[in-house]
Amino acid sequence: MENTFFSFQSLRNVNIKNEILAGLTVAMTMIPESLSFAILAGLSPLTGLYAAFLMGIVTAFLGGRPGMVSGGAGATVVVLIALASTHGVEYLFGAVVLAGILQLLVGVLRLGKFVRLIPQPVMYGFLNGLAVIIFMAQVAQFKIVKNGVSSWMEGSSFLIMAGLTLLTIAIVFIFPKITKAVPSSLVAIIVVFGLVHFLNIDTKKVIDIASVSGSLPSFHIPNIPFNIEALQIIFPYAAIMAGVGLIESLLTLNMVDELTNTKGNSNKEACAQGVANITNGFFGGMGGCAMVAQTLVNISAGARTRISAIIGALTILIIILAGGPIIEQIPMAALVGVMMMVAIGTFEWISFRIITKMPKSDIFVGMLVAVITVLLHNLALAVLIGVIISALVFAWDNAKRIRAKKSIDESGNKVYEIYGPLFFGSTTAFVDKFDAMNDPGKIIIDFKESRVADMSAIEALKKVIEKYKTYNKGVVLKHLSSDCIQLLENANGFIEVDLHTDPTYKVMPGK
């Protein structure tokens, strides 16, 4: 298995102390985030910790980028909130498995580069919508349930919760200005936990949401029907989760490449993310992807190998097995404060600064994706609509760019030099550029600065050729690229064309 264990590099060249300390720090920063996102998605807190452990350990061994950290990331989990609330947690696990299979296929088929086709405005809208959802979900934690009825906190319980939340936010914001040696979110949770414990403050805790039983994750096949109906329910969510997870993972990989001046393997990373998510779905984890913040913490602490990620994952496992009673006593105000800061950090504030410099279509797409995300809580639908609209806008813009420069050659033939791609969006404008009635007996359509892209383009060419045939005039196509010629040959029988034979020049071999 391609020295996976010790593509760790030679141990004598590794600073073991840095790797161990980095791994412990990563675990401490990942635990509050994993807990918070699990609770946000309406899952057991243990589901988030399982995801942190399983994603971390699998990608540490199989991943294509030493030094990168994966866990139960919010971007992928929030995609599945609507699915879990509508159909239950078993469907969520099924979607995680399917997302893992899709990611594995992307890696095996070496399609990692195509995952980055999601336009930047869609990503801005997605992240901004995600940030709003995360923030509003924290506000919802100020509700309590009595006798099956949910109501807002009142009086001292509300003031205590609000005060502790503001204290957490203040620590997370201020502590990095003092030192970055210890994660500020961890310090905030410890401080608030200590205050509540030693002053015996009565406030909402993790145990009030769900119990965290310390046990190893066990194998469990998602309890959903194996039929087309179930597949139709989970596939859209799985596809978006797979895409979002891979985008975040591959962007993180590129970031580490730049920070360490080394090169990771994107397809290998896609395979590792897929295997990790499949494992999550069968062992009760909520799934995830690479985590940007934790990876930055890891690299900043001096980690450069897989050892730190393994140490981090094993630390989380130890906490699962032995630290359940402590985790259950963490005040919800601490997690709410941490997650509010995560939401603020997730929001792409730069999108406001550059809004006047962006095309109106990009602004519209970004805002639409964000609005759909916030109103419907359906990130899968929001991203899908954003990508479709972006593709249509791109097609429309390119359709307007097709031009024809007209001239007469030395033989008296009229030459149409085409500029811009000929595809389904530009066919009408293309056909309108020809004057079959008044043109000479032979015209030449020069595609040196264009290309025939699809079947609609071939149909347009057929219309032009047949139009000239009605006037007993000929059409010659010139400077077609090899792929365009192949496309026309595949359509042989549907369209007959007269191709101008261009000379093929070969480079003489050197002596």
Side-chain angles (χ1 to χ4, degrees):
M1 198 169 62
E2 190 209 322
N3 43 352
T4 302
F5 210 64
F6 288 101
S7 69
F8 287 38
Q9 310 161 358
S10 169
L11 281 178
R12 66 178 177 215
N13 297 325
V14 173
N15 188 324
I16 297 294
K17 176 185 144 203
N18 278 0
E19 298 291 329
I20 292 174
L21 289 177
L24 293 172
T25 306
V26 162
M28 293 303 102
T29 61
M30 197 180 293
I31 287 168
E33 199 164 326
S34 299
L35 285 172
S36 300
F37 276 120
I39 293 168
L40 169 62
L43 306 172
S44 161
L46 196 58
T47 309
L49 294 180
Y50 281 160
F53 164 65
L54 294 170
M55 291 299 301
I57 199 74
V58 173
T59 56
F61 279 100
L62 303 181
R65 172 69 271 176
M68 203 162 94
V69 177
S70 295
T76 52
V77 175
V78 174
V79 169
L80 304 177
I81 288 179
L83 176 64
S85 62
T86 306
H87 297 280
V89 70
E90 294 296 327
Y91 276 83
L92 180 142
F93 292 142
V96 170
V97 171
L98 183 55
I101 293 171
L102 294 174
Q103 290 176 328
L104 182 59
L105 285 174
V106 167
V108 169
L109 298 175
R110 308 183 71 80
L111 301 175
K113 57 188 176 185
F114 294 111
V115 175
R116 298 172 196 169
L117 289 177
I118 293 184
Q120 191 61 47
V122 175
M123 288 304 297
Y124 279 150
F126 166 76
L127 290 171
N128 290 345
L130 173 64
V132 173
I133 286 178
I134 293 171
F135 192 91
M136 294 309 296
Q138 304 318 305
V139 174
Q141 292 298 333
F142 284 83
K143 288 183 177 181
I144 53 175
V145 179
K146 283 185 180 180
N147 301 320
V149 179
S150 177
S151 60
W152 291 100
M153 292 179 177
E154 296 177 346
S156 60
S157 61
F158 173 81
L159 292 175
I160 290 170
M161 179 92 167
L164 293 173
T165 300
L166 290 173
L167 175 62
T168 304
I169 291 172
I171 294 172
V172 173
F173 181 75
I174 295 170
F175 194 77
K177 301 180 188 301
I178 301 170
T179 177
K180 294 183 179 178
V182 184
S184 59
S185 59
L186 180 63
V187 172
I189 289 172
I190 291 172
V191 169
V192 174
F193 176 87
L195 278 175
V196 170
H197 178 74
F198 291 111
L199 299 180
N200 200 24
I201 297 172
D202 183 20
T203 188
K204 189 177 181 181
K205 300 175 182 175
V206 171
I207 189 66
D208 297 319
I209 305 295
S211 174
V212 179
S213 59
S215 62
L216 285 167
S218 56
F219 182 78
H220 165 71
I221 297 175
N223 186 22
I224 61 175
F226 291 88
N227 54 35
I228 294 296
E229 287 75 16
L231 182 62
Q232 288 174 336
I233 290 170
I234 67 173
F235 183 80
Y237 296 95
I240 297 298
M241 178 187 171
V244 169
L246 283 179
I247 289 167
E248 193 156 334
S249 298
L250 297 182
L251 289 177
T252 305
L253 183 145
N254 287 345
M255 177 190 73
V256 178
D257 284 353
E258 292 175 12
L259 289 173
T260 61
N261 199 26
T262 54
K263 184 68 176 171
N265 186 323
S266 59
N267 289 310
K268 188 176 178 183
E269 187 61 40
C271 289
Q273 294 290 331
V275 172
N277 275 313
I278 292 170
T279 306
N280 262 273
F282 284 121
F283 283 88
M286 65 184 182
C289 63
M291 303 184 78
V292 180
Q294 280 70 19
T295 298
L296 280 172
V297 166
N298 195 38
I299 296 298
S300 300
R304 292 295 181 272
T305 73
R306 304 174 190 275
I307 295 172
S308 59
I310 292 173
I311 294 291
L314 292 177
T315 301
I316 291 169
L317 178 62
I318 291 169
I319 289 171
I320 290 172
L321 298 177
I326 297 173
I327 292 171
E328 290 175 348
Q329 295 306 310
I330 294 175
M332 281 304 301
L335 297 183
V336 166
V338 167
M339 289 308 295
M340 282 184 172
M341 290 303 291
V342 167
I344 292 168
T346 300
F347 198 93
E348 290 283 355
W349 299 100
I350 190 174
S351 59
F352 285 139
R353 293 202 300 272
I354 65 173
I355 195 166
T356 56
K357 301 172 184 175
M358 294 169 67
K360 291 180 181 178
S361 58
D362 286 353
I363 297 170
F364 172 74
V365 168
M367 292 180 67
L368 180 65
V369 171
V371 168
I372 293 174
T373 301
V374 172
L375 294 182
L376 301 183
H377 284 219
N378 191 331
L379 276 75
L381 179 64
V383 171
L384 185 62
I385 290 175
V387 170
I388 290 172
I389 292 176
S390 295
L392 291 174
V393 169
F394 174 80
W396 176 255
D397 287 343
N398 277 273
K400 294 187 295 184
R401 288 178 185 164
I402 195 160
R403 296 179 292 113
K405 182 181 176 183
K406 303 165 189 176
S407 60
I408 304 294
D409 66 10
E410 63 276 6
S411 302
N413 304 316
K414 189 168 184 180
V415 179
Y416 288 83
E417 294 179 63
I418 307 300
Y419 294 84
L422 179 56
F423 69 113
F424 68 89
S426 60
T427 54
T428 302
F430 172 78
V431 172
D432 289 343
K433 296 188 183 299
F434 297 91
D435 184 4
M437 181 183 294
N438 299 313
D439 278 351
K442 181 180 176 183
I443 70 162
I444 297 172
I445 306 178
D446 190 338
F447 283 94
K448 188 175 182 179
E449 301 296 334
S450 180
R451 65 186 302 272
V452 179
D454 56 17
M455 196 63 197
S456 297
I458 293 175
E459 175 69 37
L461 279 174
K462 183 182 179 184
K463 284 181 182 177
V464 170
I465 292 169
E466 288 179 347
K467 199 173 183 181
Y468 277 87
K469 274 184 180 178
T470 60
Y471 293 99
N472 295 315
K473 297 176 182 179
V475 177
V476 176
L477 307 185
K478 186 178 180 181
H479 287 140
L480 280 170
S481 62
S482 57
D483 59 327
C484 296
I485 292 172
Q486 183 63 54
L487 193 63
L488 287 167
E489 286 176 354
N490 292 341
N492 191 24
F494 174 76
I495 179 174
E496 301 300 329
V497 296
D498 184 2
L499 292 176
H500 180 278
T501 305
D502 298 308
T504 302
Y505 300 97
K506 294 185 179 178
V507 178
M508 292 295 289
K511 294 183 181 180

